Amino acid sequence: MAEAAKQSWVARAGTGFGGQLRVPGDKSISHRGLLLGAIAEGTTRIDGFLRSEDCLATLAALRALGVTVDDEGDHVSVHGVGLRGLSAPAAPLDLGNSGTAIRLLAGLLAGQSFDTALTGDASLCRRPMGRIADPLGQMGARVDTTDGCPPLTVHGGRALAGIDYRLPVASAQVKSALLLAALYADGDTQIRGSGASRDHTERMLLSMGAALDLEEDCITLHPGRRLEAMDLQVPGDLSSAAFFLLGAALAADAPLVIESVGINPTRLGILGILELMGARVEVSNHRMEGREPVADLLLARSALRGAEIPPSVVPLAIDEFPVVFVAAAVADGDTLVTGAEELRHKESDRIATMVAGLRALGADIEERPDGALIHGGKLHGGEIDSHGDHRVAMAFAMAALVADGPVRIRDTANVATSFPEFPGLAVQAGLTLEVTES
Ligand code: S3P
């Protein structure tokens, strides 16, 4: 996968930044459409599916599990095999860079009659899997990890029982893995403490006819119902839009408009953070696509100021901290990020990677175990290592809009895991970006 390619970028400010654009489909919703469509009855049509390496890894895994998925250009059709219709894959499933794919699949596969081996790239094989293996074990499943990380072996043919589980971290991946396993359990499963994390799985399960009670701090899944196929329209990914919002806040010469972006409340933390920092995103043309809210976003250039980021907002903006760190580094005053230790368990250790990258561009920043204190100021040009982390690479590309020289970003190929169109769209918006392969 992307790991073999050594790609780097040189980003520079262009003549302006702005315009009207659309970002590709939401990654979390695209994964879930495939996974739930696979175990539903009938054909699930997914329009706006994100053709990124992460989602294509899930698609390939489902094909290896016996599911027919037709990629029909403007949409994907998943021919569901029902809850009990998956079959044993001939080889280990390689989920590349995707934490969502490996964790959700582990939950789904815990309820099957066969064993499955799951693996991924070097970054994925450093990510913690005890957080799913332990609660799945409490349900009666057996997920063997390799020192707590992938490769995993998910043992099939085990009777699962419902559990009452309190999530130790607000993680949608853990919650979703447990909900998928719970479809196969004898008895209800209750998941508590999950309020803050993204809720796309719950919305989609309800659309497909699952019996799910949603209370303030507790989700209850009653197994036994089959899932019905659905038509899914995937909204633009707010986590991809966030890089362009950053670019607009820093350098727009005319307002930037991003059309048809998902504005699920469990994802909206970045809008609140930008507002705290002095950038107000206008949200218009609200509508629903199925159970997911969608809108157009508009942002003009903004004078950013430092802010104290409330820890409660961290799970609602969990993928947007590379954007927040760059915004903070050029804001007027200090920004304090706390309660964000989870960032150390993403595609890279995002606290360490962002601190190192910003320092390389001259920022004054103090690393903390659970965040950072960022003293806003000016950035100069320089060279940073993204450590293969797609979101780090894209955030630093936008930093170049205000740096006083070119920003060279190493190890950028993994941007294709979530946003293959980023270089082209960034150039369209006004960034100067050279891509080199070596
Ligand atoms: C995701 C959940 C988040 C997020 C990831 C996608 C999902 O992870 O960081 O990019 O699709 O469920 P956690 O739930 O582990 O925080």
Side-chain angles (χ1 to χ4, degrees), residues 33 36-38 40 42-46 76-80 208 228-232:
L36 291 178
T43 298
T44 289
R45 175 186 167 121
I46 311 177
V76 167
S77 296
V78 185
H79 301 283
M208 291 181 148
E228 303 292 344
M230 66 183 286
D231 284 346
L232 180 64

Side-chain angles (χ1 to χ4, degrees), residues 23 37 44 87 90 126 133 185 199 207 219 238 255 314 325 340 352 372 382 415 436:
V23 291
T44 289
S87 50
R126 287 191 293 269
D199 65 0
S207 295
I219 300 167
L238 179 62
V314 170
F325 274 53
V415 167
T436 46

Side-chain angles (χ1 to χ4, degrees), residues 176-199:
S176 301
L178 298 182
L179 285 171
L180 287 167
L183 293 169
Y184 296 90
D186 189 13
D188 295 349
T189 291
Q190 287 174 316
I191 305 172
R192 297 176 196 274
S194 58
S197 66
R198 66 194 67 194
D199 65 0

Side-chain angles (χ1 to χ4, degrees), residues 156-244:
R158 298 175 69 90
L160 303 187
I163 52 168
D164 187 336
Y165 186 70
R166 178 164 286 280
L167 293 168
V169 282
S171 164
Q173 292 179 354
V174 176
K175 175 177 65 174
S176 301
L178 298 182
L179 285 171
L180 287 167
L183 293 169
Y184 296 90
D186 189 13
D188 295 349
T189 291
Q190 287 174 316
I191 305 172
R192 297 176 196 274
S194 58
S197 66
R198 66 194 67 194
D199 65 0
H200 307 297
T201 307
E202 295 90 304
R203 288 174 192 247
M204 210 177 284
L205 279 170
L206 284 170
S207 295
M208 291 181 148
L212 203 59
D213 299 330
L214 304 177
E215 288 159 51
E216 179 71 24
D217 190 46
C218 180
I219 300 167
T220 306
L221 186 128
H222 310 280
R225 290 233 198 126
R226 50 190 228 153
L227 301 180
E228 303 292 344
M230 66 183 286
D231 284 346
L232 180 64
Q233 178 69 50
V234 182
D237 196 324
L238 179 62
S239 295
S240 297
F243 302 106
F244 288 86

